[in-house]
Amino acid sequence: DGYWSKAKNNRTTFSNNVNEHSSRSHLVISLYVKGKSITGQTTNFGKLHLIDLAGSERLSKTGATGDRLKEAQNINKSLSALGDVIQAAAAKQGHVPYRNSKLTHLLQDSLGSSAKTLMIVQSSPLAKDVAESLCSLQFASRARAVELGHAKKNVAKK
């Protein structure tokens, strides 16, 4: 609970015309796990990223200005970069643009062929938000189409 609270306290939210508690940044919590075999001959390594992406909001609907407008534009750019990585991976392109954002660069090894990814989408049930909900579901559908292959065990032997 301590790490989650600390991370949550570092996150910024503001009210806008669309969302009373709009996230102004992504939240990334990374857990690194190391386990040794009983004999001590092998060590297994693992990594788990828990990520709450700041939502993409239509700038025309939010009424954002000044710093809030810049934040929204940066969030949308970051989500677009993640979409580009997902698209390139799904198309099995030779170059995947991981370095186009801090988020995709951080997640590069977790979005590659030796990893497993799970995406959960939260969408609004309100009729007025149907366009945003559809965009979110289409984004998740594109992410689902990516075939990463089999996850590989990360082992170091003595």
Side-chain angles (χ1 to χ4, degrees):
D1 186 50
Y3 288 117
W4 184 257
S5 295
K6 184 177 179 181
K8 192 173 177 188
N9 288 337
N10 286 331
R11 189 169 202 189
T12 304
T13 62
F14 280 98
S15 177
N16 63 39
N17 293 344
V18 175
N19 188 345
E20 185 179 343
H21 302 285
S22 182
S23 301
R24 306 320 312 145
S25 61
H26 304 310
L27 174 66
V28 179
I29 298 176
S30 299
L31 304 172
Y32 298 90
V33 181
K34 176 180 166 183
K36 288 189 176 190
S37 67
I38 293 173
T39 63
Q41 297 300 310
T42 59
T43 303
N44 295 319
F45 300 92
K47 185 187 316 182
L48 174 66
H49 295 294
L50 302 172
I51 303 164
D52 183 4
L53 296 173
S56 172
E57 297 167 343
R58 300 271 182 246
L59 296 178
S60 60
K61 288 185 178 182
T62 65
T65 59
D67 288 343
R68 302 293 87 79
L69 177 62
K70 288 178 188 172
E71 288 168 346
Q73 289 169 333
N74 288 332
I75 289 166
N76 288 344
K77 269 204 253 184
S78 177
L79 292 171
S80 180
L82 179 58
D84 292 344
V85 165
I86 289 169
Q87 181 67 32
K92 299 187 186 318
Q93 293 178 356
H95 172 71
V96 179
Y98 292 113
R99 293 182 182 249
N100 287 0
S101 82
K102 288 179 185 178
L103 178 67
T104 55
H105 186 65
L106 170 73
L107 300 176
Q108 181 173 349
D109 63 341
S110 299
L111 294 171
S113 63
S114 65
K116 287 293 179 194
T117 302
L118 170 67
M119 181 180 288
I120 299 171
V121 175
Q122 179 179 343
S123 61
S124 171
L126 301 176
K128 70 181 185 82
D129 296 329
V130 73
E132 292 300 318
S133 294
L134 280 173
C135 283
S136 295
L137 293 171
Q138 288 168 346
F139 183 84
S141 180
R142 287 193 309 273
R144 185 176 185 272
V146 177
E147 294 179 22
L148 296 175
H150 297 289
K152 296 178 185 138
K153 195 171 187 179
N154 298 310
V155 179
K157 293 188 180 193
K158 265 191 167 180

